[in-house]
């Protein structure tokens, strides 16, 4: 099968269901990279199950690993839930599932949340305080994320900001800037120069 | 602080006493507050899970019992309200579970004890905590997630609901470790709830838009704004009596206050304006028709001998519209709003003090409505 945008062979195939209509996308390696920059259109939550089913047997973007790894059925070591179980029930088994199946879940979560890739908002307050004082079970990084994750979060917000400006939603844009600023301040607090 | 735990004896396994909620009015259904001509109530729900345990659908029974015991203890000792009522739902009578659903204190799924598509049942260890006497805060334990914190308000007041939910969440988190990841936020059994785990909902009364055949437009607009529309009793329920519940579908990548701002300043006021416009046009063009429909509905409510809950809701909806528009000076619309609750099957049976089959309920409902509306002109 050929890519929707050029003549190269398509390596990722994606089916989304929007307003009851099935929309298929077939992209080559180059175009799917571009596609990641411009996230897929919104997609209703109660349709996620049909999306997941529609994707059964298809290649999930980001899931292309080595052949050996692909052959082994994907499974959460902590609770035994497989990716196939998840596709069937749309429920995960335990918090660890998010870590162990991150590459498969990432694109699904992104589509279900209008292209969002990272959490923005409340953080467990006591856990964060405890980790800052060094007395918590978890490190500050385990709560706020690694430098890379924090950079990814900022770039997600930048995309949202550009989108708001393009749609001339200036008040919204201002609030996204506030959000980015407050993340920057939290960062500064973490790494005093 | 005192705690009532009707589901527990000394060993935590005791017999259930009756849950006496059915007589009191529900604070969030008072029909007051901001924009209350259109917005019946507001709700904020936070989904949370404990670190170190499988989610309820994957947990063994002993894990679920352990989570239940842990959460019950922490919730009851967190100083969340003057008085917290705790109900072990696996020990509660079916009618009490229905009563809680009718008061929107638990979901239908939680009443049934469903854990996933095909698993679970009424015996599953699960519970709910309710802040008394106002019932504005309830916390479900072992629903789809370990914890579902829910705060309700009458009228349009998501901001205050979020404020309380946030406080309650902090108090619980002081005593329990939540499952949280820097990338996906609060981790939930269904990936559609990850991130903030926050669901904002408002219950809207849209009879004029319904009459003007504009509901599909609202539904389409809601879809474009990533909102879900549901009926009076949430997921999968029909929009009885022209009541629609509007809530956000996405929870990742948008801070709580951001989402709140969207709902408060962009989305809900627009829908409210749209309904108000449709009402004004209706009154201007066919005020006689609206008044006629409202009084006919009142006539049915006051004189019928058999009444299904659907028909009662339809009639009460018409009367509420007439009252809110000032077309029915003798009607107190708050009373009408309260009647929408007491005509529900479990409330009806508890008020009557006996079990009733469907045919008996139709007669009992009509009796109740006749009595309640006897003095109304
Ligand atoms: Zn291409
Ligand atoms: Zn797992």
């Amino acid at each position: 099968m050929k890519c929707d945008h050029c003549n190269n062979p398509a390596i990722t195939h994606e089916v989304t269901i929007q307003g009851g209509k099935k929309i298929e996308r077939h992209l080559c390696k180059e175009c799917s990279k571009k596609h990641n920059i411009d996230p897929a259109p919104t997609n209703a939550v109660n349709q996620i199950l049909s999306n997941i089913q529609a994707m059964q047997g298809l290649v999930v973007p980001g899931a292309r690993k080595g052949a050996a790894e692909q052959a082994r059925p994907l499974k959460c070591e902590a609770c035994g839930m497989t990716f196939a179980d998840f596709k069937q029930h749309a429920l995960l088994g335990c918090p660890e599932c998010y870590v162990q199946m991150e590459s498969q879940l990432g694109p699904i979560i992104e589509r279900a949340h209008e292209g969002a890739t990272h959490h923005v908002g409340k953080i467990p307050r006591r856990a964060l305080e405890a980790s800052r004082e060094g007395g918590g079970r978890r490190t500050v990084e385990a709560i706020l994320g690694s430098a890379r994750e924090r950079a990814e979060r900022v770039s997600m917000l930048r995309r949202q900001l550009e989108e708001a400006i393009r749609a001339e939603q200036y008040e919204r844009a201002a609030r996204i800037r506030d959000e980015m600023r407050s993340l920057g301040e939290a960062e500064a607090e973490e790494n005093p120069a | 602080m005192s705690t009532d735990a009707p589901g527990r004896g000394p060993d935590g396994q005791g017999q259930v006493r009756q849950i006496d909620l059915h007589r009191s009015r529900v604070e969030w259904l008072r029909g007051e507050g901001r924009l209350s001509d259109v917005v019946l109530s507001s709700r904020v729900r936070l989904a949370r899970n404990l670190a170190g345990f499988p989610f309820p659908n994957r947990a063994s029974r002993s894990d679920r019992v352990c989570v239940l015991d842990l959460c019950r203890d922490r919730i009851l000792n967190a100083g969340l309200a003057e008085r917290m009522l705790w109900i072990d739902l696996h020990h509660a009578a079916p009618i009490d579970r229905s009563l809680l659903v009718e008061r929107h204190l638990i979901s239908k799924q939680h009443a049934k004890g469903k854990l996933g598509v095909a698993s679970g049942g009424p015996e599953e260890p699960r519970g709910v905590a309710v802040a008394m006497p106002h019932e504005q805060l309830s916390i479900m334990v072992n629903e789809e997630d370990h914890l579902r914190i829910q705060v309700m308000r009458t009228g349009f007041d998501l901001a205050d609901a979020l404020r309380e939910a946030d406080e309650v969440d902090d108090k619980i988190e002081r005593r329990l470790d939540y499952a949280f990841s820097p990338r996906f936020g609060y981790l939930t059994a269904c990936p559609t709830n990850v991130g903030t785990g926050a669901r904002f909902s408002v219950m809207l009364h849209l009879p004029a838009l319904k009459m003007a055949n504009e509901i599909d437009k609202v539904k389409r607009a809601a879809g474009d704004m990533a909102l879900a529309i549901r009926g009076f009793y949430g997921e999968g329920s029909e929009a009885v009596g022209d009541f629609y519940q509007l809530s956000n579908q996405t929870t990742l990548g948008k801070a709580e206050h951001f989402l709140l701002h969207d709902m408060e300043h962009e989305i809900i006021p627009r829908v409210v304006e749209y309904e108000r416009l449709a009402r004004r046009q209706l009154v201007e063009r066919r005020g006689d028709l609206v008044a006629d429909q409202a009084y006919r509905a009142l006539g049915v409510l006051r004189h019928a001998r058999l009444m299904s809950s659907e028909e009662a809701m339809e009639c009460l909806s018409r009367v509420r519209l007439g009252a809110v528009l000032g077309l029915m000076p003798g009607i107190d619309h708050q009373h009408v709003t309260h009647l929408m609750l007491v005509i529900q099957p479990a409330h009806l049976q508890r008020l009557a003090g006996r079990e009733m089959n469907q045919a008996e309920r139709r007669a009992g409902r009509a009796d109740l409505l006749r009595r309640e509306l006897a003095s109304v002109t």
Side-chain angles (χ1 to χ4, degrees):
Chain A
M1 190 172 287
K2 283 182 177 170
C3 171
D4 292 344
H5 297 284
C6 62
N7 268 334
N8 295 332
I11 60 148
T12 64
H13 308 276
E14 176 191 88
V15 181
T16 50
I17 291 160
Q18 258 194 314
K21 270 205 316 216
K22 196 163 130 186
I23 300 164
E24 288 192 36
R25 291 220 268 180
H26 309 282
L27 299 170
C28 71
K29 202 172 173 185
E30 287 306 305
C31 295
S32 60
K33 261 190 216 154
K34 272 186 236 157
H35 150 86
N36 277 342
I37 297 164
D38 184 16
T42 325
N43 171 354
V45 158
N46 49 14
Q47 284 164 359
I48 193 169
L49 195 75
S50 36
N51 281 342
I52 293 161
Q53 277 156 356
M55 285 191 297
Q56 238 157 4
L58 299 179
V59 180
V60 178
R64 293 183 64 79
K65 294 257 173 79
E69 218 169 314
Q70 258 180 352
R72 184 155 43 87
L74 216 98
K75 194 174 172 184
C76 170
E77 301 290 332
C79 75
M81 169 81 72
T82 65
F83 192 63
D85 290 337
F86 166 69
K87 285 196 287 191
Q88 211 182 337
H89 302 297
L91 291 177
L92 291 165
C94 77
E96 187 64 18
C97 288
Y98 281 96
V99 180
Q100 307 229 348
M101 299 189 239
E102 185 173 357
S103 58
Q104 279 68 27
L105 289 172
I108 292 171
I109 290 173
E110 193 177 328
R111 265 195 294 277
H113 294 274
E114 296 187 282
T117 54
H118 286 73
H119 171 58
V120 181
K122 190 169 182 177
I123 285 165
R125 292 200 172 103
R126 194 255 319 142
L128 183 61
E129 277 163 29
S131 67
R132 279 187 170 141
E133 287 158 13
R137 284 202 207 167
R138 315 174 68 182
T139 62
V140 174
E141 195 168 83
I143 296 170
L144 292 182
S146 62
R148 200 202 64 194
E149 272 173 323
R150 280 180 277 184
E152 284 171 351
R153 182 179 298 124
V154 169
S155 71
M156 178 192 77
L157 286 170
R158 196 162 293 132
R159 281 201 302 276
Q160 291 179 355
L161 178 64
E162 283 161 11
E163 220 168 276
I165 292 169
R166 221 177 307 137
E168 302 185 9
Q169 297 170 323
Y170 298 113
E171 203 208 337
R172 191 191 191 92
R175 284 185 294 122
I176 297 170
R177 270 195 208 98
D178 287 346
E179 203 66 61
M180 291 170 78
R181 199 169 305 129
S182 74
L183 279 177
E185 278 160 16
E187 192 104 329
E189 203 176 311
E190 243 27 83
N191 311 299
Chain B
M1 186 184 92
S2 70
T3 57
D4 290 355
R8 291 161 80 201
D11 57 354
Q13 301 291 317
Q15 277 301 300
V16 186
R17 283 176 309 224
Q18 275 200 339
I19 298 163
D20 265 335
L21 295 174
H22 58 287
R23 283 180 194 286
S24 56
R25 285 207 177 191
V26 171
E27 176 68 21
W28 61 263
L29 202 53
R30 248 179 24 216
E32 285 178 8
R34 243 177 97 208
L35 311 184
S36 63
D37 55 328
V38 180
V39 183
L40 203 59
S41 63
S42 309
R43 188 188 72 178
V44 171
R45 189 219 67 196
L46 303 177
R48 299 289 187 253
N49 285 282
L50 308 194
F53 288 94
F55 299 135
N57 75 86
R58 193 84 187 168
S60 66
R61 193 180 169 91
S62 67
D63 270 342
R64 288 201 295 273
V65 169
C66 185
V67 167
L68 185 70
D69 289 343
L70 196 62
C71 290
R72 179 173 42 214
D73 176 72
R74 300 300 191 269
I75 289 168
L76 293 180
N77 293 304
L80 300 179
E82 285 283 300
R83 195 158 71 87
M84 288 299 279
L85 175 74
W86 173 270
I87 300 145
D88 275 333
L89 292 167
H90 47 299
H91 295 140
I95 190 168
D96 283 337
R97 295 198 285 256
S98 302
L99 194 79
L100 295 167
V101 173
E102 288 173 5
R103 295 174 92 78
H104 290 228
L105 293 170
I106 64 172
S107 62
K108 274 185 180 163
Q109 177 183 334
H110 203 43
K112 290 184 191 145
K114 284 196 106 175
L115 288 170
V117 182
S119 62
E123 302 303 314
E124 293 303 332
R126 68 201 189 284
V128 64
V130 181
M132 300 302 288
H134 298 302
E135 302 173 38
Q136 296 199 101
L137 161 68
S138 71
I139 304 167
M140 290 188 275
V141 178
N142 276 345
E143 207 237 27
E144 185 179 290
D145 295 301
H146 294 143
L147 292 164
R148 290 273 175 106
I149 301 165
Q150 177 186 283
V151 177
M152 314 243 266
R153 290 291 182 266
T154 183
F156 187 42
D157 202 354
L158 287 170
D160 199 53
L162 177 63
R163 183 198 51 74
E164 183 177 352
D166 188 46
E167 276 176 26
V168 167
D169 181 46
D170 284 345
K171 284 180 179 170
I172 295 174
E173 196 258 334
R174 242 174 256 157
R175 292 142 192 272
L176 288 169
D177 273 321
Y178 282 158
F180 181 85
S181 105
R183 174 164 178 198
F184 294 127
Y186 293 92
L187 301 177
T188 52
C190 183
T192 54
N193 294 316
V194 285
T196 58
R199 191 81 65 207
F200 294 69
S201 314
V202 287
M203 186 76 76
L204 300 162
H205 189 213
L206 306 177
L209 287 173
K210 177 76 178 299
M211 276 187 233
N213 263 326
E214 298 281 284
I215 290 296
D216 280 342
K217 261 191 216 167
V218 176
K219 285 186 179 166
R220 245 175 289 136
D224 290 344
M225 292 184 284
L227 300 174
I229 284 202
R230 302 193 173 93
F232 195 64
Y233 282 106
E235 205 132 358
S237 72
E238 290 293 311
V240 278
D242 309 323
F243 291 98
Y244 298 86
Q245 192 177 298
L246 211 60
S247 55
N248 60 300
Q249 291 201 339
T250 63
T251 49
L252 186 69
K254 247 188 226 170
E256 294 84 349
H257 64 87
F258 202 100
L259 199 56
L260 175 70
H261 187 277
D262 268 3
M263 293 289 268
E264 274 208 309
H265 298 280
E266 313 277 339
I267 297 161
I268 302 304
R270 236 183 278 169
V271 182
V272 169
E273 259 327 296
Y274 199 24
E275 167 68 18
R276 282 176 172 170
L277 179 70
R279 289 181 186 183
R280 277 199 299 277
Q281 285 177 348
L282 261 181
V283 171
E284 276 164 27
R285 285 181 205 159
R286 294 304 311 268
D288 55 342
L289 186 77
V290 182
D292 180 66
Q293 285 193 340
Y295 276 109
R296 275 171 188 274
L298 181 62
V300 171
L301 293 168
R302 289 188 56 179
H303 297 288
R305 292 312 197 249
L306 299 171
M307 179 84 77
S308 69
S309 58
E310 292 78 17
E311 188 185 8
M313 286 295 277
E314 295 298 333
C315 290
L316 289 168
S317 166
R318 295 257 157 99
V319 173
R320 184 180 194 271
L321 178 65
V324 167
L325 290 176
L327 301 171
M328 304 175 97
I331 299 279
D332 167 14
H333 75 86
Q334 294 177 15
H335 182 217
V336 173
T337 308
H338 171 67
L339 290 177
M340 296 191 311
L341 181 70
V342 295
I343 56 138
Q344 301 297 332
H347 276 80
L348 203 60
Q349 294 175 68
R350 289 297 297 276
L351 283 168
R354 64 191 171 89
E355 264 185 52
M356 293 188 258
N357 63 30
Q358 199 173 17
E360 290 167 335
R361 287 204 299 273
R362 282 170 178 243
R365 186 176 291 117
D367 283 347
L368 175 88
L369 287 164
R370 281 206 312 281
R371 271 200 317 278
E372 286 279 342
L373 296 168
S375 57
V376 166
T377 47

